[in-house]
Amino acid sequence: MKQLLIVANWKSNKTLQEASIFIEKFQVVYEPREDAKVIICPPFISVELMSRLVRNDAIAAEIGVQNISPFEDGAYTGEVSAHQAAEFAKFAIIGHSERRTNFGEDDDLLSKKVSIATSFGLIPIFCVQNENTFIPDGVKVVAYEPPSAIGTGQADTPESAEHVALIIKEKHGEVAQVLYGGSVVPENVSGFTKMEHISGVLIGGASLDPDRFSSIIKQC
Ligand code: PGA
């Protein structure tokens, strides 16, 4: 049985209060599945709260972060280190196209982030924009997210995503799981997850609503 990863990327959304309300509603509608691991990646400010709520309410979900400092603990104003994040999170999204575009993150910086994340036991979910995007050593989970599909409602086709996933796996023997991301909604998720080489989805907009997110989990 294929083990799916269903990853919510909340980006810069939700206050602490809104995050609590999400969890209250989500736990009513969420039906955990043996073949799917649910990972919620809130903004840093909500990571501690979300990890506590998930644990206290015994919700079958893991916590991830959306980014990580390339440095260890120390004099790096404004950064959150992998050491700090690993207190609460198991996963770290690294190399999202929004970080590459808005914050100038390049291959060299992203390699440092992967290396420091793995050294503190965080599993990188490394985002690539196409089959030729550089993937640093140590990456086992990749999320293929074509920028034209992010937040546009114009998802890639499952066939095209499957083709890219297969090429990525052929080129990088270490990569065990390739996820698809970009305008995933309840109505299209199963098209992706039924593909042989796609092991889950990374969801932005549709993960913010507890009903839509739980419906994605049900449909995948
Ligand atoms: P979207 O975002 O689902 O809103 O398209 C996906 C992502 O950027 O991870």
Side-chain angles (χ1 to χ4, degrees):
M1 188 168 52
K2 191 158 72 168
Q3 189 64 31
L4 297 171
L5 295 182
I6 310 298
V7 187
N9 175 11
W10 281 3
K11 309 190 181 184
S12 291
N13 290 294
K14 295 199 190 294
T15 61
L16 291 181
Q17 197 191 4
E18 288 164 347
S20 305
I21 293 170
F22 175 95
I23 285 293
E24 259 172 48
K25 293 188 176 159
F26 182 64
Q27 63 180 327
V28 175
V29 286
Y30 170 39
E31 293 171 24
R33 301 168 48 146
E34 265 184 27
D35 61 345
K37 190 190 282 291
V38 170
I39 303 163
I40 303 177
C41 304
F44 276 124
I45 202 146
S46 315
V47 163
E48 188 275 336
L49 171 75
M50 286 292 290
S51 115
R52 190 154 33 89
L53 292 177
V54 159
R55 202 177 46 241
N56 291 353
D57 296 341
I59 295 169
E62 306 278 359
I63 298 297
V65 290
Q66 301 169 18
N67 178 35
I68 206 71
S69 170
F71 300 108
E72 306 241 350
D73 294 351
Y76 302 103
T77 302
E79 290 294 287
V80 175
S81 71
H83 179 217
Q84 294 169 314
E87 266 197 285
F88 308 104
K90 275 208 177 141
F91 294 84
I93 297 173
I94 296 178
H96 192 282
S97 61
E98 287 155 13
R99 294 216 55 89
R100 294 173 191 257
T101 308
N102 299 314
F103 302 95
E105 298 197 350
D106 61 13
D107 295 346
D108 185 42
L109 182 78
L110 295 173
S111 298
K112 289 190 184 123
K113 291 187 178 207
V114 165
S115 153
I116 203 142
T118 49
S119 76
F120 284 99
L122 289 165
I123 299 171
I125 299 170
F126 191 80
C127 299
V128 304
Q129 291 65 59
N130 57 56
E131 65 275 31
N132 299 317
T133 306
F134 171 76
I135 298 177
D137 289 345
V139 169
K140 297 194 169 61
V141 183
V142 161
Y144 160 57
E145 296 204 305
S148 61
I150 295 178
T152 58
Q154 307 290 317
D156 200 354
T157 64
E159 293 72 23
S160 156
E162 168 75 352
H163 180 65
V164 172
L166 181 58
I167 296 175
I168 290 170
K169 283 188 177 173
E170 281 172 357
K171 279 168 71 168
H172 305 274
E174 249 190 322
V175 173
Q177 288 172 294
V178 178
L179 319 182
Y180 168 74
S183 296
V184 172
V185 290
E187 296 73 24
N188 67 12
V189 66
S190 67
F192 294 100
T193 50
K194 71 175 185 227
M195 291 289 162
E196 186 183 346
H197 298 286
I198 296 180
S199 304
V201 282
L202 178 52
I203 309 135
S207 74
L208 295 170
D209 177 77
D211 290 316
R212 293 187 86 208
F213 187 47
S214 68
S215 167
I216 285 177
I217 297 164
K218 230 172 268 171
Q219 305 295 331
C220 73

